[in-house]
Amino acid sequence: MIRWLFLIVIIVFIEIYAFQAFRTLTKIKWALLTYQVISFLILAYIIYSFTQFDRSVGQNKQSLFTLGLMLVVYIPKIVLTFVLFGEDLFRLGAGAINYFVNNDVETSTIPSRRKFVSKIGLGLAAIPFISLIYGIFEGKYNFKVIKQTLFFADLPDAFDGFTITQISDVHSGSFDNKEKIDYAIDLVNQQNSDMILFTGDIVNTHAAEMHPWIESFNNIKKPEFGKFSVLGNHDYGEYVAWPSEKEKADNFEAIKKLYGQIGFSLLLNENTFVQKGNDRIAIVGVENWGKNFKQAGDLNKASASLSKEDFKILMSHDPSHWEYEVKNHEKHFHLTLSGHTHGLQFGIEIPGLFKWSPVQYVYKQWAGLYENVGRYIYVNRGFGFHAYPGRVGIWPEITVIELKKGKSVV
């Protein structure tokens, strides 16, 4: 009860300040009334939608729309609130100086709100508003091919120049545009890599979410050295209320079969070798292991038959696994491929110069390449989207990694 009261107070606080910004700019009564009515209707819809959320169904098109609407409306209003609340603190400070220092008790001690500050606030609020709208209609399908070359002194000679395409976090239950998905799959095929690796989260929750997309994903051509995959945290059906444990288990089995239905060999805490000439490398796949998520992955089991000298590529969905278990493991995993974070689907990236997302305060490795004493992890930003039905600044990614023989460099 206290939590809900606190949330109501916060919403009222934000709405009051957002309204103040508009009222500072215009005194037209019908315009102000229209703003209030629209704000009330949007808030009422959001509250109604969340009360109708069905835990047995999980995320669906309505919940995606609702969360998107909430972010589009309230993030700009939060920006406005910060600006105007900051001005109020300044006004109170100026009033206090007027009263206590200047002894000015005859005039108003608190300066009036300045119109230009409201204009600044609205200008700043327009940035996330426009960005979030773009993210919903265009950004979520703004696929980028990111290429990375990695050098290893102990890479088997035959694999010098070997290329891997990685995809991750498909979240097929969120898709709504077949043409865009087919375009992305064409991009995957255009890379002509030697191997394709898929690091988990084929659905949001239910196996049936993937059924409309099986034909499209079956168009991913099988390269010479195969297509391999692992499970992600969403593939276990953990985030909904199931009528029975049997239904949950049946769904999990159906999800595992999905990977085979689109031509990927699913590795469940196991490994396989790929041979090229007289050389070979190991592909290791663990089930999901996350610091704050399901820990079904068993790295020791997956690598039991391997030696430290074997060149190993590990697929592990959650990058926190690398931080807590992989990077210092005695078996020496040369390259780990992960996903999971999506880069929060929100951030700022200037390739090669700067990248930032709020998710970096949760995950040390959240997007791109990281290294620890010659062992690498690459975190794919994700193919699909989840929760927020869009992407801002952190675009959907198809990764191409080339392995090269030589001295390790970052």
Side-chain angles (χ1 to χ4, degrees), residues 80-240:
L80 272 175
T81 299
F82 272 111
V83 172
L84 296 191
F85 183 66
E87 187 198 18
D88 280 352
L89 292 177
F90 174 82
R91 290 166 64 212
L92 286 171
I97 291 172
N98 254 356
Y99 187 86
F100 293 108
V101 178
N102 299 330
N103 294 317
D104 186 359
V105 295
E106 294 183 1
T107 59
S108 176
T109 58
I110 300 179
S112 60
R113 189 178 298 284
R114 292 165 294 182
K115 188 173 183 179
F116 84 91
V117 174
S118 293
K119 288 183 177 180
I120 291 172
L122 288 167
L124 292 173
I127 296 172
F129 178 78
I130 293 170
S131 298
L132 288 162
I133 291 290
Y134 173 83
I136 291 171
F137 288 96
E138 296 292 335
K140 65 186 179 185
Y141 294 128
N142 185 22
F143 292 96
K144 301 295 181 185
V145 176
I146 298 180
K147 297 186 177 184
Q148 187 78 56
T149 301
L150 299 180
F151 292 84
F152 298 93
D154 56 349
L155 179 70
D157 292 341
F159 286 88
D160 186 21
F162 191 83
T163 54
I164 300 165
T165 291
Q166 180 199 6
I167 60 173
S168 191
D169 299 87
V170 164
H171 290 283
S172 55
S174 300
F175 293 157
D176 56 10
N177 190 318
K178 186 177 185 300
E179 182 180 346
K180 296 290 188 181
I181 299 305
D182 288 342
Y183 163 75
I185 288 168
D186 285 342
L187 280 180
V188 172
N189 288 330
Q190 287 170 24
Q191 307 316 309
N192 293 314
S193 291
D194 295 305
M195 177 187 292
I196 299 175
L197 302 180
F198 179 1
T199 45
D201 277 0
I202 195 170
V203 296
N204 295 330
T205 300
H206 297 91
E209 296 165 11
M210 185 63 183
H211 292 170
W213 307 100
I214 287 176
E215 182 181 354
S216 293
F217 278 82
N218 259 322
N219 289 326
I220 297 178
K221 297 175 183 177
K222 184 176 182 178
E224 180 181 355
F225 295 91
K227 296 156 62 177
F228 299 93
S229 61
V230 292
L231 298 171
N233 58 303
H234 280 269
D235 294 329
Y236 294 85
E238 298 276 297
Y239 307 118
V240 300

Side-chain angles (χ1 to χ4, degrees), residues 3 28 39 49 63 68 72-73 96 101 112 124 170 182 216 219 232 235 249 267 272 283 299 318 347 366 384 388 403:
R3 183 176 61 183
I28 301 173
S39 294
S49 250
S63 64
V72 166
V73 170
V101 178
S112 60
L124 292 173
V170 164
D182 288 342
S216 293
N219 289 326
D235 294 329
L267 299 179
T272 187
I283 308 300
L299 187 59
D318 190 319
W366 61 276
Y388 164 56
L403 307 180

Side-chain angles (χ1 to χ4, degrees), residues 150 322 327 334 365 368-378 408-410:
L150 299 180
W322 190 77
K327 72 178 184 180
H334 297 74
Q365 298 82 31
L369 184 68
Y370 303 84
E371 183 263 350
N372 179 63
V373 292
R375 308 176 192 196
Y376 293 89
I377 181 172
Y378 190 90
S408 297
V409 293
V410 179

